[in-house]
Amino acid sequence: MSAARDEIFTRIRRSLRRDAPLAAPPAHRSQAPESNVRPRLEKDPLECFIDKVHAAAGTVDRISAISDVVQATSDYLHRHGLEPRLVVASHPLISELAWPAEWKIHAGPARGEDHIGVGAAFAGVAETGTLVMLSGADNPTTLNFLPDDHIVVVSALQIVAHLEDAWRLMRDSVTAMPRTVNLITGPSRTADVEQTIQLGAHGPRRLHVIVIED
Amino acid sequence: MQGSTTEFKRQAEAALHDATLQRAMAKAKGGFVDKRRLAVARLPEFAQIRAEAKAIKEHTLAHLDYYLEQFERKVLESGGRVHWARTADEACAAVLAIIGAASKQVLKGKSMVSEEIGLNAAMERAGHTVVETDLGEYIIQLAHEPPSHIIAPAVHKTRDQITDLFQAEHEKYGLTERVTETEDIVNEARQVLRTKFLSADVGITGANFLIAETGSTVIVTNEGNGDLTQILPRTHIVTASIEKVIPSLDDMTVLLRLLARSATGQEMSSYNTLSTGPRRADDLDGPEEFHVVIVDNGRSDMLGNEFHDMLRCIRCGACLNHCPVYGAIGGHAYGWVYPGPMGSVLTPLMIGLENARDLPNACTLNGRCGEVCPMSIPLPDMLRTLRFKEHERKLSKARARGALKAWGLLARRPRLYQVVTALMTAVLGSIGGRAGRFRSLPLASGWTQARDLPAPQGATFQRMWRRRR
Ligand code: SF4
């Protein structure tokens, strides 16, 4: 390929005192990911996840059936005095919901004028209260960042203890790496003005997680 | 207002007398340190994870060619392209070639390597409009200043200064009201930048990690600007340096446990984003083109030499936050892209020791940077090595070398040493006399300018020791 590429690799190998590429992958601890030191959780994963979402300035609703997502969303809109105009991902978890007929709903991607986005997480990580969002036709990435309010639905069955567990789930169930994987922990924030934390820098001002426990 | 690395002393002195800067630095001081301390205390496994992180980076560096090739292969497989650059100029040229000849609207997420290669200036010279989207970067772009901290680029700015800047610069958008509260400042920036996000052609981000296993580039942010920067424009370009590559997602997980805690005291930053190739055929959004520009710029030579450990750096900023010198003078005085302890090591290596010879000396060797570094980089040792090299290459002051030589001669002759030190102790003790201190001393004005030198009281240590026995 390019001369630059050749020279960079030559220099690297010279510094490593080796003159040919390695034939086989080097042995590495990452071939045994279970060897990672994992922070001990204080509680069971679901409780821990919910605590950590709160700690990251997010809010959580626990519901017992998928159909309750509509009521939970309605309550959320009410609490914050928001108009029922939503952009909703066509993810299987939420695509069958019966939204009230008078609500204005459109499917993703999000546009500049969308204020509320509803998406579905692939997994939730208890260790840090992190949502794992995979991009795709049924979960456009713009939905995670353009709206002011981001509502994310996640099944309690998909709450894992550590991020390593989410990667394992992903390797098992997703054939190819999606274009974008977002690990989202709380709403957008900045501390660039005198180190004072202010929520809602460029992304969502609020993050609301709806956990389905059925 | 980029300073110069050869003017460190003058710049440091000016910084100490800059009341506004001192106000801004005083506000920042403590915040980072306390938050980090609490975050580390809450993770009992911190020390183990730190050892793990070092092992991961060492393994990667020892097989750097292998993992870079694997990364490249995976990017190609996912439909992206990889461009290699030996130098800053090559890297800028690669980015310009991707952007193309017609003038474009370019958005940027925070990227230290893009500062290192001078990318913004190169793009502007080529006729493109460049907008920084990280709030801190945006502020300093408006002020035409370089970043003064690797994770908090506008830490040197007070709120009043930001208010003034916004008033002057946002008038053209019809925003004439003076915003003084943090919330309003952030909202105004959000409003201005939103329109830019929706109309840009190219988005450029950096990368905290490159993952060989998947061909993903990873950014760690809190604002979400890096995400809007890469999913809205048609083209996403990533600028990254060769040592950012790590083998796997699980390795990244280990490093993430240290990064946010060491940087801001968070357990996890709001957004960690993995980008792999361009949008897929059935995706509804995302960039149509994905390019990774991988920059060497002197790093391949550091591999395996006495500065090798520096390649483990994950740019968390903890060493800056814990450095008393950085805390007193801020980042601009250092004169180049990387300030503080990590900068005092990197800058001489990247632009030449002869062009940055004050930097390794801008250190009290108190050791805090090395203690807090999550990657266990022996920063104080490396600063000492650089001082040693300065001495060897005769880059230090002739007088200092002379004094060291004289001391060396003396120290190798114990008898003589005892006689001379006893004599000096007696002489200085009697001149210093009643005051017990010197306000000024010939050859030691550097010391006495800012503080008094205590006069010796009594005998030398050796004599007192003998008497005690
Ligand atoms: S040298 Fe260590 S403490 Fe400093 S920025 Fe790099 S990783 Fe962080």
Side-chain angles (χ1 to χ4, degrees), chain A residues 5 29 127 142 179 203, chain B residues 72 190 230 251 257 285:
Chain A
R5 184 188 187 281
R29 47 172 293 291
E127 177 187 358
T142 39
R179 146 66 209 180
Chain B
E72 178 185 47
R190 179 184 173 104
Q230 62 169 287
D251 293 319
R257 289 195 175 107
D285 52 21

Side-chain angles (χ1 to χ4, degrees), chain A residues 87-88 106-112 114 137 140-143 146, chain B residues 283-286:
Chain A
V87 49
V88 180
H106 81 87
R111 298 172 302 222
D114 286 317
T141 308
T142 39
L143 220 138
L146 280 174
Chain B
D283 277 353
L284 304 177
D285 52 21

Side-chain angles (χ1 to χ4, degrees), chain B residues 99 104-108 123 128-131 200-204:
Chain B
I99 299 177
K104 300 271 169 60
Q105 300 278 334
V106 181
L107 293 182
K108 279 195 57 218
M123 289 194 290
H128 305 299
T129 313
V130 183
V131 180
D201 307 302
V202 178
I204 301 181

Side-chain angles (χ1 to χ4, degrees), chain A residues 189-198, chain B residues 35 135 152 222-223:
Chain A
R189 69 196 64 205
T190 183
D192 277 340
V193 181
E194 293 188 338
Q195 312 310 302
T196 312
I197 298 211
Q198 175 65 44
Chain B
K35 285 185 196 145
L135 180 56
N222 276 314
E223 297 184 1

Side-chain angles (χ1 to χ4, degrees), chain A residues 1-5 7-9 11-18 20-31 33 35-40 52 90 107-114 127-128 130 135-148 162-165 167 170-171 176-205, chain B residues 27-28 32 35 43 45 48-49 52 56 59 61-69 72 76 84-86 90 133-136 139 152-155 157-159 162 182-183 185-187 189-190 193-194 197-198 213-214 216 222-225 227-228 230-232 236 242 247-254 256-257 266-280 282-285 287 290 296 300-301 303:
Chain A
M1 270 191 227
S2 75
R5 184 188 187 281
E7 194 182 323
I8 291 172
F9 278 91
R11 281 199 215 160
I12 290 174
R13 288 185 186 121
R14 194 192 312 135
S15 291
L16 294 174
R17 293 177 188 81
R18 185 146 43 67
L22 292 165
H28 175 44
R29 47 172 293 291
S30 72
Q31 284 146 4
S35 73
N36 276 7
V37 175
R38 306 206 185 181
R40 201 177 60 82
K52 294 287 182 180
S90 52
R111 298 172 302 222
E113 62 276 15
D114 286 317
E127 177 187 358
T128 46
T130 300
S135 69
D138 60 2
N139 229 356
T141 308
T142 39
L143 220 138
N144 302 343
F145 292 98
L146 280 174
D148 283 356
H162 298 98
L163 196 50
E164 287 89 343
D165 303 318
W167 301 137
M170 201 173 84
R171 287 188 190 102
M177 193 72 183
R179 146 66 209 180
T180 308
V181 178
N182 295 121
L183 307 178
I184 298 181
T185 313
S188 158
R189 69 196 64 205
T190 183
D192 277 340
V193 181
E194 293 188 338
Q195 312 310 302
T196 312
I197 298 211
Q198 175 65 44
L199 298 182
H202 291 293
R205 299 171 189 277
Chain B
K27 286 226 164 98
F32 281 124
K35 285 185 196 145
L43 181 66
E45 298 86 355
Q48 275 169 284
I49 294 172
E52 213 177 12
I56 289 169
H59 169 85
L61 290 171
H63 307 94
L64 189 59
D65 53 339
Y66 177 82
Y67 287 113
L68 282 171
E69 283 190 322
E72 178 185 47
L76 297 178
W84 300 89
R86 283 168 284 201
E90 273 187 9
T133 61
D134 170 82
L135 180 56
I139 291 167
V155 67
K157 285 264 178 261
T158 61
R159 190 153 45 114
I162 301 171
T182 302
E183 183 178 356
I185 290 174
V186 172
N187 270 330
R190 179 184 173 104
L193 286 167
R194 209 26 106 81
F197 279 125
L198 294 167
E213 174 190 13
T214 55
S216 312
N222 276 314
E223 297 184 1
N225 64 302
D227 290 283
L228 291 171
Q230 62 169 287
I231 52 180
L232 295 172
H236 178 198
I242 55 172
S248 69
L249 294 170
D250 292 293
D251 293 319
M252 175 190 74
T253 305
V254 174
L256 284 180
R257 289 195 175 107
Q266 289 167 283
E267 292 184 355
M268 193 76 156
S269 303
S270 299
Y271 302 116
N272 297 302
T273 298
L274 289 76
S275 312
T276 315
R279 69 153 78 175
R280 309 293 184 251
D282 59 347
D283 277 353
L284 304 177
D285 52 21
F290 177 70
D296 181 343
S300 56
D301 293 334
L303 205 58

Side-chain angles (χ1 to χ4, degrees), chain B residues 158-226:
Chain B
T158 61
R159 190 153 45 114
D160 291 345
Q161 288 177 304
I162 301 171
T163 296
D164 291 344
L165 257 180
F166 276 21
Q167 189 167 34
E169 298 287 331
H170 289 169
E171 207 192 323
K172 58 175 180 266
Y173 306 115
L175 300 166
T176 47
E177 205 186 318
R178 210 176 141 74
V179 287
T180 54
E181 295 305 311
T182 302
E183 183 178 356
D184 301 329
I185 290 174
V186 172
N187 270 330
E188 185 165 302
R190 179 184 173 104
Q191 188 185 341
V192 169
L193 286 167
R194 209 26 106 81
T195 57
K196 314 242 180 224
F197 279 125
L198 294 167
S199 61
D201 307 302
V202 178
I204 301 181
T205 65
N208 290 79
F209 309 107
L210 306 174
I211 302 189
E213 174 190 13
T214 55
S216 312
T217 68
V218 184
I219 57 169
V220 177
T221 75
N222 276 314
E223 297 184 1
N225 64 302

Side-chain angles (χ1 to χ4, degrees), chain B residues 150 310 313-319 342 369 372-375 377 379:
Chain B
I150 60 173
M310 199 60 222
C313 175
I314 53 172
R315 307 285 190 265
C316 72
C319 57
M342 55 83 77
C369 53
V372 297
C373 174
M375 301 309 292
I377 299 172
L379 292 157

